[in-house]
Amino acid sequence: MKFKSGERRKPAEYEKDLIKQWKKNKVFEKSVEQRPVDNSYVFYDGPPFITGVPHHGTLLSSIVKDAVPRYWTMKGKRVERVWGWDCHGLPAEVFTEKKLGITDRRDIGTKVSLEEYILTCRDNMVQTGSLWEDTIDRVGRWVDFKGAYKTMDKDYMESVWWAFSELYKKGKIYEGEKVLLYCTRDATPISKAEVAMDNSYQDVTDPSVYVKFKLQGEDDRYLLAWTTTPWTLPGNTAIAVNKAVTYAEIDLEGEKLILAKDRLDKVLTDNKHEIVSYKVNRTFKGSELVGESYEPLFVSDDKNKEKINKIWHADYVSIEEGTGIVHLAPAYGEEDYELSKDKGFPLKSVIDENGFYISGEWEGQNVWEANKPIAKHLEKANKVWKIEYITHSYPHCHRCGTKLMYRAHPSWFMDVEGQKQLMLEQNGDINWFPEHIKQGRFAKTIQTAPDWNISRDRFWATAMPVWKGKDSKGKTHMKVIGSYKELKDLSGLELDDYHKPWIDDVTFTIDNVKYKRIDKVLDCWFESGSMPFAQYHYPFENRQKFEESFPGDFISEYIGQVRAWFYYLHVISSGLFDENSFKNVIVTGTLSGNDGRKMSKSYGNYTDPNELMDKYSADAYRLLLLGSPLLNGEDFALIDKDIADIHRKLSMIWNMYDFFTLYAEVDEWQWSQSPNAQVRPTDHINGLSNPLDIWIVSRIHQLGEQVDGHMQRYDIPNAVKLIIPFIEDASNWYVRRSRKRFWKSDNDSDKNNAYSTLHYTLTTLSVILAPFTPFLSEELYQRLTGDKSVHLVDWPEFGHVDELLIGNMKKVRSFIADGLAIRATEGIKVRQPLKSVTIPEIPDTYTEMIQDELNVKEVKFDRKIKVVKLDTNIDASLKAEGQAREVIRHVQNARKKAGLSVNDRIILTLSTTGKHLKKAIDDHNSQIMKETLAVKTGEREQNYTTSVSIDDEELVISLQKS
């Protein structure tokens, strides 16, 4: 094929055109279909929330999810890529409530009917899809949007029912009550993983209260307990001490206070943090307090007088903070709750599911609004010794931002404790990148995980498939349903939609017992964790397809998902199939704004990704992220300048292309292979004699092999970091060193080799870059080969790599760099010839390169030396030659300014009154004529005239096309 110069487009132009071209020609579909079904590579896509909008973080994930499948497709694998949507849960509900103007959970079913609420949720789940598709296209990701699964789909939810039923049959799901993180606004438990995933902690200021609990039957003798949650005090039913700790009874302002001896001087301070005056009456072990009773802080009508308001021993009571005495409200503390179950003292619930007190002086008040007033009330009643205020990090709802509380709540749980050992063993079969996460964060997540609270007290989610009923004797019976058919067989009903409220109307009777569904829905993470099989509607359909594709070959998300999606996939897979659900995983770090803070519109610390891609290119954006610390699981600040730098370095490829086509058009050089021919690395190396050609071919083969090796290990950053150095080698060394071979070579064979080698190098580079920079690769490949798509090409089997030549060339370039550094230090221009350079031994093949690059007359060798030695003495002859080279440079610049083509011959006139410059021109006239393509000299001004100064002597240059 022939080549034409001057047709190159800006990246944003060809990127957008290629998106259309790929869709029109169904290139993505072809890339999948042309690979055999029995050689599949399975990629699981973690679904984003459809209510969200694409941002830098989600685009990072998409770029990784595109690069890896593209690579494995080129390795001959059939890689189907199907998009997915997370549709259920709090994110969707919060989105809907804003739309409906709902600020209180109690409005659902009153101000807004539950049916309207659910229908609005469903409608909201389709409105941002086009925005996602456009942005994902723009970043170059190939994925099937049309076949996308949705967690709200009827078939998907049936697979989730099946999973729940199977786990229940295995005894891995149970009903119980535990203290859980709880959102009062959304009136539902929240998992710790959800809070930890996005680090939903905020600094808050709370009262730090030292409460006096009066010992029963004692005058002015109090236990001094410390709490930062005075809102829990109305729920107090016990106090804990440590029997092994030494406590002190002190006299302070006429009262006897008891607290840990080692905490006296830390606690007994005034508002200036100075120690107050007190007297120690005696010290004793905590065991002396165990079993004693104390008076309640508030008026109480508790019936269990024997167990309530007692002092108990607890190992977890320490002297690291507080007073060494802990007030216990079992309804609102995890350790408190467990101790109450163990010892049998009661639990007192004083706050309803929406966060309002149900009795007492604060009845009807919100828990957080009453927090400080409760402390003030007790202080006024002389039941508080001191109130301070502390700022500390406290968990908030990751979706609505409400401050969370701990609350005992009836829920359904999956037994994680019983399968931890299996999960840890299976983790050994997973390849994690970066590797340290395997036995670090992920293993620790498993080791410390509680049983999973899988139920939620919400609305828009998969309904829990549990029906209960009571017989005539009051005994409760339960039925867990695993399919819609099973429910139809029992109830006679088949629904179009199995969401609330319609599923709640389905009842059935067995042995005179009427069963009604319990009013709970499933945690949306249970749905996400079911994705590997639920996307196929397994086991009701596609049984073989799922079983052959499980476990998946690859998944990737940001580091927060280690405790979330990755973990929940592992839990469900282990529970259902006794197997890990994925084989390879890439964990990315977290992107921050250009100031290092979290990306935020209010901070104005980032540029919109579409704007960045239009200004630079999607490829530069991709390559920066893929080569960044993010792919090592580390955090990274996205700075526009970094994308600009990558864009500039990628443009060197186009500079090489422009150089190639410019001269190929002049010489009418053609590529002889057919457009669809696969580039074969081993074919090109044969017959080459010029060391530069052999070197660049060896370098491109080396690059291909090294990138291949890193990608096999899912080490994307180390694969990517090899690319720019190669581009710089090809542009700044191969092309620059070969330039004269293209435009003034007398050796046709050498010139042809130069053309074919540069063409081969650029074409092969386009193939290697295809997973990382799909647009540039496609544009370059099509222009060089005339083929339809680089993305239908297999990854080459790279052949010959001359390691010795590569090593020698590296030494040569090092010598040259050292010599140029000496020139710079001495202030000697590169165009000024020097007599000689002395270097350690190197084959004679490279002598001419060193001479040319360092502009020396002779290369000398000395095995004894380690540092380059340059002879910097300049005689008159060398000086004249240097001036002649300056003349050539200025004439070449004049040619460009005159608008001449590279192959245009010229008539040249050089005029000067400087005797040194005139002698230099006369002595080197033939060289000047040859280098500037001057066919004859003129004696008058030509079409273009300019004047310059060389060593303070003026030179007038006149030229015109011959």
Side-chain angles (χ1 to χ4, degrees), residues 108 224 267 308 340 359 462 471:
I108 303 168
L224 192 63
V267 172
I308 199 166
S340 76
S359 61
T462 298
D471 60 22

Side-chain angles (χ1 to χ4, degrees), residues 618-632:
D619 286 322
Y621 179 65
R622 286 173 63 114
L623 202 64
L624 173 70
L625 295 180
L626 290 172
S628 73
L630 290 163
L631 271 290
N632 284 312

Side-chain angles (χ1 to χ4, degrees), residues 401-417:
T402 301
K403 194 174 179 181
L404 298 175
M405 65 185 292
Y406 282 90
R407 185 176 190 268
H409 196 75
S411 297
W412 287 71
F413 299 88
M414 180 173 172
D415 174 20
V416 174
E417 188 64 41

Side-chain angles (χ1 to χ4, degrees), residues 286-300:
S287 54
E288 185 177 314
L289 293 170
V290 175
E292 293 290 314
S293 298
Y294 64 93
E295 295 180 3
L297 289 177
F298 304 94
V299 177
S300 174

Side-chain angles (χ1 to χ4, degrees), residues 935-953:
V935 294
K936 61 179 179 178
T937 57
E939 297 179 357
R940 58 182 176 81
E941 287 190 2
Q942 310 300 330
N943 290 352
Y944 179 84
T945 301
T946 186
S947 62
V948 296
S949 176
I950 299 176
D951 293 336
D952 298 325
E953 294 182 340

